[in-house]
Amino acid sequence: MWNAEVDRRPLFVARPNTAVDVRSVVEFSARRGIPLAVRGGGHSHAGFGTADGAAVLDLRSLGGVRVDPVKRELVTGGGALWGPVDAATQLHHLGVTGADAPQVGVGGVLLGGGFGWLHRLTGLTCDSLLEADVVTANGDLVTASPEREPALFWALRGGGGNFGVVTRMGFRLHPVRELVGGTLLYPLGRGRSVLMRYQELCDSAPDELALRVTLMTAPKAGHIPAELRGKPAISVGMAAFGPPGKLETVKRGFRPCGPAAVDTVRPLTYAQLQQPVYGKPDRLRADGHSSFFARLDEQTIDAFLDLAERFPSPQTMLQVQHLGGAISRLGAADTAFSFRHATHLVACNVLAVRDATSVPLRSWTMTAAKAIRRHELGGPYVNFVNGGEPAKELHAAYSPVTYRRLAQVKAEYDPDNLFRFNVNIGTT
């Protein structure tokens, strides 16, 4: 698993090549009462893709990607990763909202809802789902869509991995051609003005504009000014989908904050935008806290800045992503994702290199959660849980109405809770 904190010993690992193989493992595990973990990309902070004494169903061989540019549709296997998906779709100037890390699994992102640079323009990953093939707990291979298995189709779009093994996914694709994107990097001392300007721009942003702010430690990289390397910093990530002139207005909005120490904003392809800004992340020790927010007021901004001054490691970061746009135009009951009305997703990723075993990840996560909880609308986000949250807090990943509906779907498709390594509906 990507999270180096996860060190577990499964009973066995099965690597299926077909949906029929998946069904064999599911039936074998259910018949013998063996717990079953499903591994897609392996990037769950909580390590949901493995478990002690469990069967691990590793989907990496189900990684196929097929694009129909005429119908603007994408079909992937259950183990597909975002890198190959973005490469294949961009050959036709098409795309779908997904993680901006090539090695992350498509299935896990989908099942939690799915954020990315395109979410204001085209909605969450789950909003573009057309259908999905699923092996259920009793070994049935079903296709979930608005017309077939509609309750399951609803639950897959934000309800996590509670209902079966997704072996194939079909998505609607969207035109993604011209864009300008990049980052502006400032010393953290300008953090208050940067965050206030960020919120002001979010208030009037068109759907074509995506913004995110990251409080971090500036990397010790050659393009970073020497006086900022290894120091607290704040980065503004931006992408404007359309002709290059659109982003100049946004950059002007940050001019009162002073000149950026680093400005990488330029015309990009979507595939370039999807690459991690500071390179492929190494395997790290990971924990964290996530939640949803309304507008950022001065008290919230102060809480963020105070945390950033006390990060326990150079790898720790707090990121604020602007939501709204296409996300907010679906109703609260249309999918299992519960926070359509939120303005921001905030994730405090408490990270450390593998040999930094003295960094207190879990206790610092609790410190961060306590500091910002009174400002939150709710959460956590399903895909960002750390595995150490109490049941009551996990329950809050969904609205009460959504949770009750998910429990009904769970009872129908997995009454014995075979699929329990997730934000579990059966036990929370």
Side-chain angles (χ1 to χ4, degrees), residues 1 22 26 36-42 44 47-50 55-59 78 111 161 164-166 419 421:
M1 306 296 286
V22 171
V26 170
L36 183 62
V38 182
R39 183 192 188 281
S44 160
F48 286 145
T50 187
V56 169
L57 193 51
D58 184 344
L59 300 180
L111 293 173
V165 184
V166 176
F419 302 107
F421 301 110

Side-chain angles (χ1 to χ4, degrees), residues 2 279-284 353-354:
W2 174 81
K280 180 179 176 180
D282 294 328
R283 187 167 180 254
L284 298 170
V353 295
R354 280 176 281 176

Side-chain angles (χ1 to χ4, degrees), residues 325-367:
I327 297 173
S328 61
R329 282 193 282 278
L330 283 183
D334 289 340
T335 69
F337 176 77
S338 294
F339 295 97
R340 297 278 173 185
H341 62 295
T343 306
H344 306 282
L345 169 62
V346 175
C348 187
N349 294 313
V350 187
L351 308 170
V353 295
R354 280 176 281 176
D355 58 359
T357 55
S358 63
V359 177
L361 301 188
R362 182 57 52 86
S363 63
W364 211 88
T365 292
M366 295 172 67
T367 297

Side-chain angles (χ1 to χ4, degrees), residues 65-98:
V65 176
R66 186 173 75 251
V67 176
D68 185 329
V70 177
K71 292 184 177 180
R72 290 183 176 174
E73 292 180 1
L74 164 73
V75 176
T76 79
L81 305 181
W82 281 109
V85 165
D86 290 335
T89 55
Q90 272 293 280
L91 289 174
H92 309 284
H93 303 290
L94 299 169
V96 63
T97 302

Side-chain angles (χ1 to χ4, degrees), residues 164-209:
V165 184
V166 176
T167 60
R168 185 187 68 91
M169 298 162 279
F171 295 95
R172 179 184 304 106
L173 292 171
H174 309 271
V176 184
R177 189 176 292 269
E178 286 187 294
L179 71 96
V180 177
T183 60
L184 304 174
L185 186 68
Y186 302 87
L188 189 64
R190 298 186 197 167
R192 170 178 278 273
S193 60
V194 170
L195 281 165
M196 292 179 70
R197 286 288 174 178
Y198 161 79
Q199 180 59 72
E200 290 169 6
L201 287 167
C202 289
D203 288 339
S204 58
D207 294 356
E208 294 81 10
L209 177 62

Side-chain angles (χ1 to χ4, degrees), residues 186-192 215-216 228 231-234 305 308-309:
Y186 302 87
L188 189 64
R190 298 186 197 167
R192 170 178 278 273
L215 288 75
M216 58 188 291
L228 191 54
K231 301 293 177 57
I234 183 166
L305 293 172
E309 293 281 6

Side-chain angles (χ1 to χ4, degrees), residues 74-141:
L74 164 73
V75 176
T76 79
L81 305 181
W82 281 109
V85 165
D86 290 335
T89 55
Q90 272 293 280
L91 289 174
H92 309 284
H93 303 290
L94 299 169
V96 63
T97 302
D100 56 348
Q103 68 276 21
V104 170
V106 174
V109 171
L110 161 72
L111 293 173
F115 295 99
W117 285 110
L118 284 169
H119 61 227
R120 287 181 45 79
L121 186 62
T122 67
L124 302 175
T125 307
C126 70
D127 298 342
S128 293
L129 185 69
L130 297 171
E131 64 178 27
D133 288 350
V134 183
V135 176
T136 64
N138 64 5
D140 289 340
L141 179 57

